[in-house]
Amino acid sequence: MGKYSLESFERYPMLRCRPKEIREDIPGAGRRTFETVRVHLNGDMPTLRMNTLLEVIIPHGQMELMESSLAKIAARYGNDPLVLGVVLDSGACLPERRWLWEIAARAFAPKRLFVPVTDGEQLGFALGRGFAGGLLADVKDHPYDVCEAFAQHHAQRLYRQMPVLVRFACADGKLARYAQQWHASAVEGLDAAAGWRIALRRITCPKAISSGGYAPMRFWLTNRGPAFCHEKVHLALRLAKDGHYTPISVHAAPAVITLADSVHNEIIRMPAVEPGEYALEFALITDRGEALVLANEGRMADGYYPACRLSIDSMPRPEYETIWADFFPDGYYPLEDPKEPV
């Protein structure tokens, strides 16, 4: 360790915890797939499997049945967790297209309507009204057609706001790179990297922590997948000992996990517990109360993962509450020449 390494400038002894990361494919994280199920107006309601895109078929000449039929389909599938979203197949020449989109947006749950990226009129209408739930990149003949549609409709960066589903008519492995290029959240018809693949790479905290005191903690999350995690999540921490769990409040954790690395620094108020050795466990919890499947080892039945062992004592350390007031959490400021350590 060199004298100018970050360890030489630490103000307190640090514990660096690196939860084990899984690099191979795991169910629920990375390489997500979906299947399209077509539903006809006044037709039978099919049984769905996980990750389904409903494609509602709108035949010509049945516009008078549109509202009641869509309401019936929405009542059956609108909030079904098996449904990723809904896309309309109304034909290119239907004159009542805008009216149809309005009905569909009212019928289904908010942000559940997916829009074909090649349909510029519907895309602009849905974005303007705020009911676009995602994009559908449907590769029928050549991927260049979809690439052109992304450019023409200025949709290249919409993957940051909403999920992108990519559907391939031909199972050509050479096309897999387009799913990654379009930041696909899920893919149909081809084995390709899709979705998010989140792991907690490192936690940095003091080696000794006061019971009921403050603990400056740094969290390093990484997303190796091509897509954002569009679900709002919060970081959950807890202390475990002898089968008993004590939650730790985390207030400012990031709500959206983007691409690549995300760093979160927070001075956390620790719960008042008996001094001793505790296991620190973590999870990413959605607004629905579900724990995300992470690319870390050791997932427990309730969705938590093991991180490291913490030593908690009764010695007061009030300086930890303001330790970052004049000290950069990740070390010295990169634009300043560091002073030589004593």
Side-chain angles (χ1 to χ4, degrees):
M1 179 174 59
K3 68 177 182 178
Y4 289 115
S5 65
L6 292 179
E7 287 79 358
S8 300
F9 296 86
E10 293 174 353
R11 295 192 175 183
Y12 49 84
M14 286 188 180
L15 173 66
R16 289 171 177 79
C17 162
R18 292 177 174 84
K20 293 184 178 179
E21 187 176 351
I22 301 174
R23 294 305 180 96
E24 61 269 15
D25 292 337
I26 56 176
R31 309 192 85 82
R32 295 186 68 199
T33 60
F34 73 96
E35 66 173 0
T36 301
V37 174
R38 289 173 172 80
V39 181
H40 294 266
L41 289 182
N42 295 330
D44 296 333
M45 298 291 180
T47 302
L48 305 182
R49 295 185 292 182
M50 185 61 74
N51 295 341
T52 298
L53 176 67
L54 286 181
E55 186 169 7
V56 182
I57 309 300
I58 312 295
H60 294 274
Q62 296 190 17
M63 296 302 294
E64 66 279 359
L65 303 176
M66 182 73 60
E67 194 158 3
S68 61
S69 299
L70 280 176
K72 179 181 176 182
I73 295 173
R76 171 65 177 83
Y77 300 113
N79 293 304
D80 193 328
L82 301 180
V83 177
L84 289 176
V86 179
V87 65
L88 302 180
D89 180 6
S90 59
C93 301
L94 208 61
E96 303 90 346
R97 283 162 55 88
R98 289 177 177 263
W99 182 68
L100 169 64
W101 300 332
E102 289 277 10
I103 292 176
R106 290 197 304 266
F108 292 97
K111 299 296 184 180
R112 299 279 278 183
L113 191 63
F114 277 68
V115 182
V117 72
T118 53
D119 191 341
E121 183 185 4
Q122 183 179 171
L123 180 59
F125 186 81
L127 291 175
R129 295 298 182 92
F131 58 71
L135 299 179
L136 174 63
D138 198 358
V139 182
K140 297 179 179 178
D141 299 319
H142 201 284
Y144 288 167
D145 298 333
V146 180
C147 290
E148 184 179 15
F150 269 103
Q152 286 180 341
H153 304 144
H154 308 286
Q156 300 99 322
R157 297 182 182 274
L158 288 179
Y159 72 90
R160 300 180 178 183
Q161 306 172 28
M162 59 190 67
V164 179
L165 303 183
V166 181
R167 186 165 62 188
F168 292 98
C170 175
D172 186 351
K174 297 180 180 178
L175 301 178
R177 64 186 180 92
Y178 289 99
Q180 187 166 3
Q181 175 182 327
W182 299 328
H183 301 279
S185 293
V187 173
E188 182 183 35
L190 194 64
D191 182 23
W196 45 261
R197 183 185 176 84
I198 301 169
L200 181 61
R201 295 192 63 181
R202 190 179 70 189
I203 301 176
T204 305
C205 63
K207 287 186 177 180
I209 297 176
S210 304
S211 175
Y214 292 91
M217 290 191 175
R218 292 152 43 194
F219 303 90
W220 179 6
L221 293 158
T222 187
N223 180 7
R224 299 184 187 277
F228 278 35
C229 177
H230 292 283
E231 292 192 81
K232 290 186 177 180
V233 298
H234 68 272
L235 178 64
L237 299 175
R238 70 185 183 187
L239 298 175
K241 184 177 182 180
D242 299 330
H244 298 283
Y245 302 101
T246 304
I248 302 175
S249 297
V250 182
H251 296 291
V256 177
I257 307 297
T258 59
L259 301 181
D261 294 337
S262 301
V263 177
H264 172 63
N265 303 322
E266 183 173 341
I267 297 180
I268 293 175
R269 185 66 180 263
M270 299 296 293
V273 295
E274 291 294 325
E277 293 284 332
Y278 289 83
L280 179 65
E281 299 172 352
F282 66 92
L284 287 179
I285 309 297
T286 68
D287 288 345
R288 303 190 307 273
E290 300 175 355
L292 294 186
V293 177
L294 305 180
N296 289 105
E297 293 184 2
R299 181 179 174 88
M300 305 173 194
D302 56 0
Y304 278 78
Y305 294 82
C308 58
R309 305 285 300 181
L310 293 183
S311 177
I312 298 180
D313 57 34
S314 58
M315 180 182 299
R317 298 177 178 86
E319 67 275 11
Y320 283 175
E321 183 178 1
T322 57
I323 193 71
W324 289 338
D326 59 350
F327 177 68
F328 194 59
D330 295 310
Y332 54 79
Y333 289 93
L335 297 181
E336 295 181 1
D337 292 330
K339 298 178 181 179
E340 184 173 341
V342 179

